[in-house]
Amino acid sequence: MPIDPDVAIGAELPEIKFSWTHSDVLLYHLALGATELRYVYEQGLRVLPTFGVVAPRFHETAPPAVSFPGVDVDLARVLHGTQEITVHAALPAEGEAVLRTRIADVWDKGKAAVIVQESTALTPDGTALYTTRSSIFARGEGGFGGERGPSGRVEVPEREPDVVIETPTLPQQAYLYRLCGDRNPLHADPGFARAAGFDQPILHGLCTYGVVCKAVIDALLDGPEQVLSFGAKFAGVVFPGETLTTRVWRDGSQLVLTTFAADRPVLTDAVLSLRDVP
Ligand SMILES: CCCCCCC[C@@H](O)CC(=O)SCCNC(=O)CCNC(=O)[C@H](O)C(C)(C)COP(=O)(O)OP(=O)(O)OC[C@H]1O[C@@H](n2cnc3c(N)ncnc32)[C@H](O)[C@@H]1OP(=O)(O)O
């Protein structure tokens, strides 16, 4: 059975020990389309909080395998569903850490399975650097008799957005972003993309996630250190070269946002929470 929730839920995945340098951070920022000196030059480098989600596998060159205890799914069926990161302190430009991950839930959506993972990155002295919660949406893998799970909708205010941000992506964005540790052929190989049901390769969800987080920081915040957490649902695919339109509402100590590509929602249920920076 490709999915066995009794085995999967609660399973601990092997720890990942990892380290990163300025060069990794610079490449990550460039792959998001950064041109600002504070993101692309090692002196005075500011680290985007979303770097945390790619840092553990940054040097991976093989396509990801969707194979965990109780889960064995063809990569072509899988889409990134949701992503959240909470950074307990601003990320340094270099360091080392260990990532501990468990499968938190497996939901049965009938036509799909949603596999939820939670991870914590700890520094060598045991301090929690950041935590993440993410899900993958495995098409055609539902119907195993599991619970349906929550719908997880975030209310968007009815008023007009406080700010609207336009962010172009590059035609070669996915080719660049592959160098940040996700060599899923879905983002480069037209034949693989067609077999997965798309007319052309699609952009990595985590690339959209990083591009939008950066755009919001640059438009509205004092810097990346002000982000406590950022979570979003990948509600629609983005094709490299499309322009992203992000509608942002201020809501106390958080920002609620929705991102569109053309008129299609691509990031929904998106909330960026602010840290009090002294
Ligand atoms: C170990 C490594 C593993 C590999 C990790 C991934 C590697 C990466 O390289 C892969 C990627 O980056 S893929 C690119 C990023 N992701 C996307 O583009 C997905 C975009 N989303 C979609 O196409 C649709 O929303 C779609 C198709 C996701 C859902 O659309 P529909 O089929 O129309 O579903 P819908 O009828 O709207 O909802 C059915 C139930 O599913 C829940 N749901 C919907 N979208 C979800 C999402 N994105 N994440 C989690 N759950 C989601 C709905 O809530 C609904 O459940 P319920 O009825 O209980 O509310």
Side-chain angles (χ1 to χ4, degrees):
M1 182 195 267
I3 294 187
D4 182 343
D6 294 336
V7 174
I9 296 172
E12 309 264 343
L13 306 192
E15 282 189 355
I16 301 177
K17 285 196 169 65
F18 64 104
S19 59
W20 67 100
T21 66
H22 289 82
S23 298
D24 302 325
V25 175
L26 297 175
L27 175 57
Y28 174 67
H29 289 165
L30 287 167
L32 298 182
T35 54
E36 303 83 354
L37 210 53
R38 62 186 176 281
Y39 296 127
V40 300
Y41 186 49
E42 50 275 27
Q43 287 180 29
L45 179 61
R46 320 276 290 271
V47 184
L48 289 168
T50 49
F51 178 71
V53 297
V54 294
R57 296 177 189 82
F58 199 82
H59 298 286
E60 197 62 66
T61 54
V66 194
S67 178
F68 318 114
V71 176
D72 190 5
V73 175
D74 180 0
L75 183 60
R77 289 174 175 264
V78 162
L79 296 169
H80 203 144
T82 58
Q83 183 67 52
E84 184 174 356
I85 185 167
T86 301
V87 281
H88 304 301
L91 297 181
E94 54 190 4
E96 58 182 299
V98 62
L99 191 77
R100 295 202 181 129
T101 301
R102 62 187 277 274
I103 299 180
D105 283 305
V106 179
W107 303 122
D108 185 347
K109 299 294 186 184
K111 59 180 166 183
V114 173
I115 301 147
V116 183
Q117 296 186 5
E118 289 177 346
S119 300
T120 303
L122 300 147
T123 58
D125 70 3
T127 306
L129 196 55
Y130 59 86
T131 52
T132 65
R133 184 176 166 91
S134 62
S135 70
I136 56 176
F137 189 95
R139 297 171 294 167
E141 297 291 350
F144 52 82
E147 289 179 37
R148 191 165 182 94
S151 297
R153 296 204 176 87
V154 172
E155 289 290 320
V156 172
E158 282 181 16
R159 66 180 196 274
E160 283 298 299
D162 297 308
V163 179
V164 178
I165 310 166
E166 299 274 326
T167 320
T169 66
L170 300 166
Q172 69 272 33
Q173 200 86 60
Y175 303 137
L176 281 164
Y177 194 82
R178 297 178 77 238
L179 305 179
C180 299
D182 183 347
R183 303 279 177 108
N184 186 346
L186 179 61
H187 310 297
D189 182 334
F192 187 97
R194 270 194 301 277
F198 300 104
D199 291 342
Q200 62 178 94
I202 65 173
L203 193 57
H204 302 72
L206 288 182
C207 183
T208 304
Y209 178 78
V211 166
V212 170
C213 187
K214 173 184 177 298
V216 173
I217 290 169
D218 294 347
L220 289 163
L221 307 187
D222 295 332
E225 305 76 19
Q226 226 185 321
V227 178
L228 173 62
S229 66
F230 179 48
K233 177 160 105 175
F234 300 108
V237 298
V238 175
F239 297 102
E242 288 192 299
T243 293
L244 304 174
T245 303
T246 301
R247 298 158 66 87
V248 188
W249 292 263
R250 291 192 178 88
D251 182 14
S253 62
Q254 62 182 25
L255 305 170
V256 177
L257 46 126
T258 306
T259 299
F260 296 82
D263 54 0
R264 311 178 319 270
V266 295
L267 279 193
T268 62
D269 304 286
V271 176
L272 188 153
S273 299
L274 304 176
R275 183 199 317 281
D276 287 331
V277 179

